[in-house]
Amino acid sequence: MTDRPGQPRMVLVRPQMGENIGAAARAMLNFGLEDMQLVAPRDGWPNPAARAMASGAGRVLDRAQVAEDTAAAVASCHWVLATTARPRGMTIPVLSPEAAMREARARIASGARVGVLFGPERAGLENADIARANAVVSVPVNPDYPSLNLAQCVLLMGYEWRRATTEMAAERVELAGTAWASQAEVEALARHYETRLDEAGFFFPEEKAESMKRNLRNLWSRMPLTRSDAQILHGILRQMVRWAGRQR
């Protein structure tokens, strides 16, 4: 059995459809996971349907190992998680996917090998499989429809693994060939508009002119303008002034 250091082993227990194995491989590679273990796949292995569905993730299938039973699949693991949506009447820690992958990261960093069990499509893991796990992972799904597709469950755990091991900004802005406008550029834009609006008699009545100018400058300051934005706004005003001049 070949371990992939630095990541959990995704163990598909008695998967029934090759298509779901391929989709699971694709989900794994989406999030940098390549250690797949298959336990007694129903339709044998290798499976052409799995490769067709993997869509570029064939290397995960090439490295996949096959075990006769769950005990053999997790024999080299130090900590095992079982994914299930149903209570099983066992005394066992129950973790959210997020907490499970945080703990997996910590254990793997300390040198442990971690396995994650996923059950067959029809009924999920059996109690005998779950009894071999150190903790259960429970997804907060709709209680009226708790069944997750095998590949969906693998995708969810892969996503949480990626979140636990990769720094991700909660929000970012893609600047398409531009940069944020500097204070000087925003000031020039504000001055341009103030001058032209003043010429057009916009700041009226006179006693409100100063507060109107202040509010206008504050508007520009609140806007997250790029240099391209500022150039477009300058251009709009210039064109409007030209058009107004032609109407006279």
Side-chain angles (χ1 to χ4, degrees):
M1 184 179 299
T2 303
D3 290 322
R4 300 289 295 172
Q7 60 179 246
R9 174 180 303 153
M10 312 303 263
V11 183
L12 311 189
V13 179
R14 298 180 296 279
Q16 296 169 328
M17 298 177 62
E19 290 86 350
N20 282 335
I21 298 172
R26 183 175 181 177
M28 286 173 60
L29 196 56
N30 282 153
F31 298 106
L33 296 170
E34 299 185 40
D35 190 350
M36 174 183 279
Q37 181 82 29
L38 303 175
V39 176
R42 183 191 66 182
D43 297 336
W45 193 256
N47 187 315
R51 186 164 296 277
M53 184 62 73
S55 185
R59 73 191 202 202
V60 176
L61 302 180
D62 291 339
R63 294 168 176 160
Q65 303 292 311
V66 180
E68 293 183 1
D69 55 31
T70 305
V74 299
S76 67
C77 294
H78 303 99
W79 195 60
V80 177
L81 294 163
T83 60
T84 180
R86 296 183 286 123
R88 301 302 184 102
M90 297 182 185
T91 301
I92 190 169
V94 179
L95 305 177
S96 69
E98 181 180 12
M101 291 297 96
R102 280 202 311 263
E103 180 67 20
R105 178 197 62 185
R107 289 175 181 265
I108 289 171
S110 69
R113 288 187 291 275
V114 173
V116 185
L117 303 177
F118 301 88
E121 295 90 324
R122 185 176 298 276
L125 293 168
E126 296 178 357
N127 285 349
D129 301 311
I130 296 172
R132 298 185 181 280
N134 303 104
V136 161
V137 183
S138 182
V139 179
V141 293
N142 176 5
D144 295 328
Y145 189 65
S147 178
L148 284 176
N149 173 271
L150 172 59
Q152 289 175 327
C153 194
V154 173
L155 181 74
L156 178 63
M157 297 302 291
Y159 169 71
E160 292 296 349
W161 169 256
R162 193 72 172 178
R163 287 186 65 207
T165 56
T166 306
E167 288 292 332
M168 294 186 296
E171 180 180 351
R172 68 182 185 189
V173 177
E174 294 287 345
L175 293 172
T178 187
W180 293 115
S182 67
Q183 285 293 317
E185 290 165 330
V186 174
E187 175 63 23
L189 181 65
R191 194 164 52 249
H192 186 187
Y193 270 76
E194 184 177 309
T195 299
R196 292 305 188 183
L197 289 172
D198 204 6
E199 291 172 354
F202 176 76
F203 300 111
F204 179 86
E206 186 176 349
E207 62 270 18
K208 294 185 178 180
E210 286 306 312
S211 64
M212 292 174 70
K213 291 177 181 179
R214 184 168 56 250
N215 290 340
L216 181 60
R217 284 181 176 250
N218 181 244
L219 181 151
W220 297 121
S221 298
R222 293 199 315 270
M223 295 174 66
L225 295 169
T226 66
R227 287 179 174 173
S228 294
D229 296 332
Q231 290 166 0
I232 287 172
L233 290 167
H234 277 298
I236 289 171
L237 186 54
R238 291 190 189 101
Q239 188 60 31
M240 291 177 67
V241 170
R242 292 191 192 101
W243 177 85
R246 289 196 297 267
Q247 304 309 304
R248 294 173 184 167

